[in-house]
Amino acid sequence: MDAFTAGILQRIENTQSDLHRARAAGDLFTMDVEQSELDDLRRLAEEHGVRVG
């Protein structure tokens, strides 16, 4: 696994955790921010052929 792939997968994992915490706290603003970030990261991964599980 190259550095880009490892980095993007780690960022996706971190963002998913942050989104989960925001949902648990009922923090709508942070949920929107984290979901947007997650969408962008997934798009970026797809554009570079990185499979996200």
Side-chain angles (χ1 to χ4, degrees):
M1 181 180 306
D2 64 28
F4 175 80
T5 300
I8 196 93
L9 291 174
Q10 184 62 53
R11 289 181 61 195
I12 287 170
E13 184 178 317
N14 292 346
T15 302
Q16 287 173 327
S17 293
D18 293 344
L19 178 57
H20 178 74
R21 279 193 296 277
R23 283 185 179 147
D27 184 345
L28 297 177
F29 175 76
T30 302
M31 286 169 53
D32 285 344
V33 170
E34 296 300 338
Q35 186 62 59
S36 293
E37 178 72 9
L38 187 56
D39 293 343
D40 288 343
L41 289 168
R42 287 180 173 160
R43 179 189 48 77
L44 184 62
E46 183 178 332
E47 287 174 0
H48 288 86
V50 177
R51 296 185 73 183
V52 178

